Amino acid sequence: MRLTTTPHRSLATLLLAVTLAVGGSHASSYATARIETVPGMPAVTDPGNLYSETVAGKLSPAIASVTPRVYVPNVKSHEVHVIDPATLKIVDRYKVGTNPQHVVPSWDLSTLWVTNNAEGRTDGTLTPIDPVTGKPGKEVAVDDPYNMYFTPDGKSAVIVAEALKRLDFRDPKTMALQGSVAAPKCAGINHGDFSIDGKYLIMTCEYVGRLVKIDWRARKVLGYLTLPDNGIPQDVRVSPDGAIFYVADLKAGGVHLIEGDAFKIVGFVKTGVGTHGLYPSRDATRLYVTNRGFSRIGGKPGVGKGSVSVIDFATRHVVATWPIPQAGSPDMGNVSADGKFLWLSGRYDRVVYVIDTSTGEVVKTIPVGHEPHGLTVWPQPGRYSLGHTGNMR
């Protein structure tokens, strides 16, 4: 048998091709078993597509009856707006802690956590939201929760204490501190993603133009990687086959391609001005990239060059660019459960954009609060959440 390879196929993908070509009754079980994940992490169902369980129609039974809502944290007005995606109208609004940055689904999908980092202060909190009622609960005090992730085994919440250059590992229910990892060379630590096997985490260091690779089980930094030309790295998302980490660079206006295991840069894809957020399509064939219109940290309403670029995962090329009307500043969000709409905060324009993923048209612009940031669409398909605005697996 002759097998033709391409440079974009990981070892896991090639092994799957060999397995399927050879055939046999054990092909499926072999494909499932060959990625050795960390203890406690759910198995990788499809080694060629780690997003296989996040496609439309695969809502967990635990949240299948949850009423769909979009939760929008507004950093400067210290509140959350709640939008009904069926009517595109705001149906609720409530105060939370100081400077809410992201709304983060928990690993077990039972809670949405608002990360209120109280920027420049010491009274950071987390606000739990019950997705069944859509209402907030009692705040929990934690240090500087700019962002939040969950370990692949579900045993720890990972609080991204940006100003402290530190990751705090906490009990995912009570938020009691379990331990920390200091990353002293990672000023502006904020966004990240885990490897396909769950063994390590790569995060961005926004203020110093580098990345940090962390062994979260050993609680230690494995190394740093400096980006070209003093970049300003933002969001991170791993490719479906687990081979490449896509890293948005606000300054460079595109995404770096990082080989995770070797921890080295292997390419760059130019997108648009102020590249920031990264969201896989529901079928995991494309990556939606938000370009918020400013190549520096911060912006102004109505004067940026905001757009969304669409990268084809197979070719790693931009296949479409969707401009935002009246400039716009698309920032963070996620894809609807059915994959038909991309919901994004317009951070510097005090709006939320609803984009038709089949045409790229902004079908609705919804006014919200002051500086909307990491909104989440809920529920989303998937077995568990690794955090952020819905890094589902």
Side-chain angles (χ1 to χ4, degrees):
M1 180 187 67
R2 183 179 179 182
L3 182 66
T4 302
T5 67
T6 74
H8 298 321
R9 302 181 74 184
S10 70
L11 177 59
T13 306
L14 294 178
L15 286 174
L16 178 61
V18 171
T19 301
L20 295 177
V22 171
S25 60
H26 301 295
S28 177
S29 61
Y30 174 76
T32 301
R34 73 177 172 276
I35 289 183
E36 182 183 352
T37 60
V38 298
M41 173 182 166
V44 178
T45 304
D46 179 357
N49 178 18
L50 57 83
Y51 301 115
S52 65
E53 304 310 297
T54 71
V55 299
K58 285 198 173 184
L59 278 180
S60 167
I63 56 173
S65 61
V66 170
T67 302
R69 292 289 185 261
V70 177
Y71 296 87
V72 186
N74 301 283
V75 180
K76 296 294 179 65
S77 50
H78 319 296
E79 62 185 345
V80 168
H81 279 72
V82 184
I83 300 172
D84 181 345
T87 64
L88 303 180
K89 295 185 180 299
I90 295 169
V91 294
D92 206 350
R93 175 180 178 179
Y94 38 77
K95 288 288 184 179
V96 288
T98 304
N99 301 127
Q101 300 285 355
H102 302 90
V103 177
V104 180
S106 63
W107 189 91
D108 66 1
L109 315 181
S110 67
T111 306
L112 302 176
W113 292 97
V114 186
T115 62
N116 313 300
N117 76 322
E119 193 166 345
R121 297 165 38 167
T122 58
D123 55 344
T125 61
L126 298 172
T127 303
I129 296 175
D130 181 346
V132 175
T133 64
K135 298 295 185 180
K138 184 179 179 180
E139 292 180 2
V140 181
V142 299
D143 290 340
D144 190 35
Y146 174 80
N147 206 347
M148 184 177 185
Y149 292 88
F150 290 87
T151 56
D153 61 3
K155 293 182 179 179
S156 301
V158 184
I159 302 300
V160 183
E162 181 186 65
L164 304 175
K165 304 176 188 175
R166 194 178 76 203
L167 299 182
D168 288 339
F169 294 79
R170 294 179 176 272
D171 181 282
K173 293 290 187 180
T174 67
M175 294 301 155
L177 187 65
Q178 299 170 334
S180 299
V181 174
K185 298 180 182 179
C186 192
I189 188 170
N190 49 37
H191 300 102
D193 205 355
F194 291 86
S195 59
I196 189 171
D197 56 12
K199 293 178 180 177
Y200 62 84
L201 168 66
I202 291 178
M203 298 205 69
T204 52
C205 312
E206 181 175 12
Y207 304 145
V208 287
R210 63 173 62 112
L211 311 176
V212 61
K213 184 175 180 179
I214 295 171
D215 180 338
W216 60 269
R217 292 178 297 166
R219 303 281 202 268
K220 68 177 183 180
V221 170
L222 297 175
Y224 296 91
L225 177 64
T226 299
L227 299 178
D229 303 320
N230 300 309
I232 305 177
Q234 304 287 293
D235 202 7
V236 182
R237 193 58 67 96
V238 70
S239 63
D241 65 1
I244 297 295
F245 285 74
Y246 287 73
V247 177
D249 190 328
L250 190 77
K251 182 179 178 181
V255 292
H256 299 283
L257 307 178
I258 309 297
E259 189 176 294
D261 289 352
F263 202 34
K264 65 179 183 180
I265 301 172
V266 295
F268 180 80
V269 181
K270 191 74 174 177
T271 56
V273 178
T275 309
H276 187 64
L278 305 173
Y279 307 98
S281 61
R282 280 279 161 244
D283 62 5
T285 62
R286 295 184 170 188
L287 182 67
Y288 303 122
V289 181
T290 67
N291 308 300
R292 66 183 186 189
F294 300 88
S295 58
R296 63 186 184 278
I297 299 170
K300 298 179 180 179
V303 297
K305 296 180 180 178
S307 65
V308 174
S309 298
V310 184
I311 294 178
D312 181 271
F313 272 126
T315 65
R316 300 180 189 164
H317 292 157
V318 174
V319 294
T321 299
W322 303 333
I324 302 296
Q326 285 97 34
S329 51
D331 195 279
M332 294 219 142
N334 220 315
V335 183
S336 61
D338 59 11
K340 294 181 179 180
F341 298 98
L342 175 63
W343 287 78
L344 298 171
S345 59
R347 184 160 185 177
Y348 303 114
D349 294 272
R350 303 189 185 188
V351 297
V352 165
Y353 307 115
V354 187
I355 300 174
D356 185 325
T357 57
S358 65
T359 65
E361 178 189 1
V362 177
V363 296
K364 186 71 173 180
T365 299
I366 305 171
V368 286
H370 190 178
E371 202 168 302
H373 193 195
L375 72 81
T376 198
V377 178
W378 200 250
Q380 293 181 41
R383 299 167 296 169
Y384 62 100
S385 163
L386 289 176
H388 196 37
T389 60
N391 287 16
M392 308 294 291
R393 298 279 176 90

